[in-house]
Amino acid sequence: MLNKLYKAFEESMARIKSGESVKTCLGGYTRLLPQLVPLLHTALAIEATPKEQPSAEFKMMSKKNLLTRLHQEAVRVEKSGQDKVFSNVLWRGLERIVTGPAKVAIPLTLVMILALEGLFLFGSLGVTLPRTASALVSQSTLSTLKGSVELQRPGANTWEEAEDGMTIEAGSWVRTTPNSEALLTFFNGTTIQLEPDTQLMVEQLENGGGNQPTAIVLKQWLGKTMSRVEKLADPGSRYEIQTPSASALVRGTKFVTEVSETGATKVQTIEGLVSVSAQGKEVLLPAGQQTNVEPGASPSEPTTTPLSPADDEEPPAQSPTVAPAQGQDGPPAPGQESGQGLDAMWWMVLGALVFSLAVAVFMWRRM
Amino acid sequence: MLQVVGNIIKQKNRTQTTTTAPTRDQTTVVKLIINAEGGDFEAFGELYSLYLDRIYRYVFYQVRDRMTAEDITEEVFVKAWQAIGSCRGKEATFSAWLYRIARNHMINTLRSKQKLTSIETENLIDASDPEVEIETALDHQELLATIADLPQNQKEVIILKFIEEMDNREISQVLGKREGAIRILQMRALTNLRQKLSSEAA
């Protein structure tokens, strides 16, 4: 019975969709009508429902965001692969030295160990090594998403064509042409995408590291940007966009800033919470709301944007809790360096001495 | 009423054939998948454009919150890219594979957020279309809200069958059930939905 009903249902649906009238379709199923009609009615009602589509803005931005993420991930995977190859080569080299001819191996190994200990000793005596690795991790970079992007380095007066992946520092200016787009990726993973005809200056970049607050302050003079802000671990941390007429301080994760040629600013929160201030007045924008700020005026009352309604169940993150990876990359917090850090260094030196003694004895016995 | 709905469907079908972007043939799609498997970002971008609307819609009708649906959709494609190698040799079922990723990711996300169905009323009405009458739109709202109240497996089968318009074979691949089970589930879901709508109307 159920099979018959299902067959009748499927056939009727197909025929109705192909243009036949309902009456004709049901003609052959008089005995099944009491069950069939309600099922068809319900199914056709569902199919008649207008199909939900992603918003135009989401469609426009999401593909770019996705491709950027995939590129970044590919670079990360490639880099970790290279690191692995490098460590394998290093390990094999050391193995060859240890297991090679003993006459060469012993002096060479001892020299290496002494050099290593020397480095530790220098470290413990306060001689600091350059923090190349840390500096690399904490860099902020510029990616060219489309067309030609221009950069003005701090203190320079001329614009140069930006290369994809180049580093940026505080004081740099970045501008896109009518046909280009750029993405700035900051040390903590926060990104800002510059739409065509946008100009901004990187005012401040402070990667405190450890538990220290971070600060990213940008001055957007013209155009449209979309910021995706990584959650800020420290309450003192800030991500701020200043425009000619307002400043937007972020406490959330995703928002759009648009500056017109007259300097008027429109801020639109997509996710989280953004504080917009001008002329001493602050307006808090939850997700799905926007405000306009005319030059010399205070921000307008927030209005709903067609983008997304605020989610009542999930209040915007006022005090983020999860620390980004930045803490692992920065210098140690004050206090650690002079106390616990020094003790740890001495223990490492002692360990290295014991290890070198053990290796020497082992080599001696093999001879 | 039944005839009216039938007419709406026919009208929609006619509109869709003229307004939606032309769909790529299967050979082109398979070629894009193979290129993407080889690390071609652009090919994956093309696949993204082809499947974005469908995956978004599938997610949206279950979470009923645009922002959540957008986030989940984006993550689905990132996961798809990461796992695209596992699709090798099964390019013909790429669509079902993608829906399965969406389904698993959605379940995990919603479980962690403990937010299975938002009861927030969404503005699902296309306000720019003057032909959509308020009454019809309210009926649609009510219908979608009732679908959202169905048990998870019934809700999924309704969305895949009548909104995504998949055939039973594809649905069985997405949900990991046999076609016979899908047929029974459909009948049960439709009956259940009908009863709920009738009781609400009463």
Side-chain angles (χ1 to χ4, degrees):
Chain A
M1 174 67 182
L2 193 68
N3 275 346
K4 267 188 190 171
L5 180 65
Y6 188 77
K7 209 175 154 201
F9 170 76
E10 285 273 88
E11 279 175 6
S12 307
M13 283 292 284
R15 287 169 65 187
I16 292 168
K17 279 200 248 179
S18 72
E20 282 189 47
S21 75
V22 178
K23 205 175 172 184
T24 323
C25 296
L26 293 177
Y29 307 112
T30 40
R31 283 176 58 194
L32 293 171
L33 282 184
Q35 293 98 341
L36 187 57
V37 170
L39 292 180
L40 280 175
H41 186 188
T42 313
L44 290 170
I46 300 167
E47 292 204 347
T49 309
K51 299 276 191 287
E52 173 72 13
Q53 298 285 339
S55 66
E57 176 145 16
F58 174 67
K59 276 178 141 177
M60 187 183 74
M61 300 296 289
S62 67
K63 188 172 175 184
K64 286 176 204 158
N65 289 339
L66 177 82
L67 290 175
T68 308
R69 277 181 71 179
L70 299 188
H71 274 288
Q72 284 170 346
E73 191 173 311
V75 169
R76 215 170 26 240
V77 169
E78 202 177 316
K79 195 173 173 299
S80 77
Q82 283 169 357
D83 289 349
K84 212 177 269 177
V85 169
F86 175 70
S87 63
N88 282 346
V89 169
L90 192 70
W91 176 247
R92 261 188 241 122
L94 277 171
E95 202 177 44
R96 222 172 282 143
I97 289 167
V98 173
T99 57
K103 281 180 186 171
V104 182
I106 290 175
L108 204 59
T109 312
L110 286 174
V111 167
M112 280 177 70
I113 290 166
L114 283 172
L116 203 65
E117 283 163 9
L119 284 177
F120 279 130
L121 272 170
F122 272 117
S124 67
L125 291 172
V127 180
T128 51
L129 297 170
R131 296 182 182 276
T132 325
S134 167
L136 274 176
V137 173
S138 58
Q139 271 174 358
S140 301
T141 56
L142 185 155
S143 310
T144 305
L145 298 182
K146 193 176 145 195
S148 167
V149 177
E150 292 179 315
L151 176 94
Q152 198 174 100
R153 294 185 182 279
N157 289 322
T158 51
W159 291 93
E160 59 179 288
E161 192 172 326
E163 284 170 29
D164 195 28
M166 72 193 302
T167 56
I168 43 162
E169 47 208 12
S172 302
W173 285 72
V174 182
R175 77 176 175 196
T176 53
T177 62
N179 299 313
S180 66
E181 285 168 29
L183 181 84
L184 303 185
T185 306
F186 299 107
F187 46 80
N188 62 352
T190 292
T191 61
I192 181 168
Q193 187 165 331
L194 281 70
E195 295 282 294
D197 271 335
T198 298
Q199 189 165 317
L200 67 74
M201 180 203 172
V202 182
E203 172 89 1
Q204 192 183 350
L205 286 180
E206 276 179 25
N207 181 9
N211 296 320
Q212 299 303 301
T214 59
I216 300 169
V217 181
L218 309 166
K219 270 192 176 168
Q220 182 177 334
W221 294 97
L222 191 69
K224 191 173 178 183
T225 58
M226 155 82 96
S227 301
R228 275 174 182 267
V229 184
E230 286 294 314
K231 286 191 174 170
L232 305 170
D234 189 283
S237 294
R238 66 196 176 119
Y239 177 87
E240 189 175 346
I241 294 188
Q242 297 169 351
T243 73
S245 55
S247 76
L249 188 64
V250 175
R251 294 163 190 181
T253 51
K254 214 159 114 184
F255 72 106
V256 175
T257 312
E258 199 172 345
V259 181
S260 72
E261 284 179 355
T262 62
T265 305
K266 180 163 89 176
V267 181
Q268 211 170 54
T269 307
I270 298 175
E271 197 178 291
L273 189 70
V274 178
S275 151
V276 180
S277 313
Q279 306 296 318
K281 186 187 170 189
E282 184 189 32
V283 166
L284 290 177
L285 286 183
Q289 301 229 318
Q290 64 178 40
T291 184
N292 293 302
V293 190
E294 291 297 326
S298 51
S300 66
E301 284 306 310
T303 53
T304 308
T305 60
L307 270 174
S308 64
D311 188 350
D312 292 335
E313 286 178 34
E314 204 177 30
Q318 284 273 11
S319 50
T321 51
V322 184
Q326 68 198 24
Q328 298 158 7
D329 307 327
Q336 279 183 337
E337 197 143 6
S338 56
Q340 295 163 354
L342 200 60
D343 286 349
M345 193 63 81
W346 279 112
W347 277 110
M348 282 171 79
V349 172
L350 193 65
L353 279 169
V354 171
F355 175 73
S356 61
L357 196 64
V359 170
V361 170
F362 174 73
M363 295 291 182
W364 186 260
R365 289 186 69 176
R366 273 177 70 107
M367 278 178 81
Chain B
M1 174 65 179
L2 197 57
Q3 188 62 61
V4 172
V5 175
N7 288 339
I8 294 173
I9 295 268
K10 275 181 251 165
Q11 214 169 26
K12 271 170 76 85
N13 288 343
R14 273 200 296 274
T15 322
Q16 272 176 3
T17 51
T18 53
T19 56
T20 54
T23 50
R24 302 289 191 90
D25 62 75
Q26 187 62 15
T27 327
T28 317
V29 173
V30 169
K31 211 178 277 178
L32 286 174
I33 299 164
I34 292 169
N35 288 345
E37 285 165 359
D40 184 342
F41 290 118
E42 294 305 316
F44 191 76
E46 291 274 301
L47 289 170
Y48 177 80
S49 303
L50 281 175
Y51 288 96
L52 173 67
D53 286 13
R54 293 172 64 184
I55 295 297
Y56 170 83
R57 202 161 44 226
Y58 170 65
V59 174
F60 173 81
Y61 281 117
Q62 299 194 58
V63 299
R64 304 216 55 219
D65 176 79
R66 285 203 176 98
M67 187 54 70
T68 311
E70 285 176 0
D71 286 349
I72 291 176
T73 306
E74 217 166 283
E75 285 306 314
V76 166
F77 282 95
V78 172
K79 282 184 185 295
W81 170 257
Q82 288 164 346
I84 192 108
S86 69
C87 198
R88 209 174 293 272
K90 293 175 277 184
E91 286 84 4
T93 55
F94 178 76
S95 157
W97 178 78
L98 200 56
Y99 274 99
R100 229 171 21 246
I101 292 180
R103 182 172 186 262
N104 293 340
H105 183 59
M106 186 166 52
I107 291 170
N108 289 340
T109 308
L110 297 183
R111 199 177 280 153
S112 66
K113 282 191 175 182
Q114 294 184 330
K115 189 178 152 193
L116 271 163
T117 307
S118 165
I119 52 164
E120 192 175 324
T121 312
E122 279 280 345
N123 181 18
L124 300 170
I125 308 160
D126 182 2
S128 62
D129 183 357
E131 288 176 26
V132 177
E133 291 176 19
I134 292 172
E135 224 170 289
T136 320
L138 286 175
D139 284 348
H140 289 150
Q141 291 271 31
E142 188 189 333
L143 181 63
L144 290 174
T146 316
I147 292 172
D149 275 347
L150 288 174
Q152 184 63 20
N153 56 358
Q154 294 185 13
K155 180 166 54 179
E156 277 181 314
V157 88
I158 290 275
I159 292 168
L160 293 173
K161 178 76 180 177
F162 302 109
I163 293 174
E164 291 306 307
E165 297 179 17
M166 280 187 179
D167 61 32
N168 291 351
R169 190 179 50 81
E170 280 180 296
I171 300 174
S172 73
Q173 284 168 351
V174 175
L175 300 184
K177 292 180 193 291
R178 287 190 299 187
E179 283 187 49
I182 298 295
R183 281 197 290 270
I184 294 170
L185 200 53
Q186 265 175 49
M187 290 288 103
R188 201 172 287 161
L190 280 177
T191 312
N192 197 359
L193 188 61
R194 182 80 203 149
Q195 282 168 355
K196 279 176 182 281
L197 288 168
S198 305
S199 64
E200 275 168 24

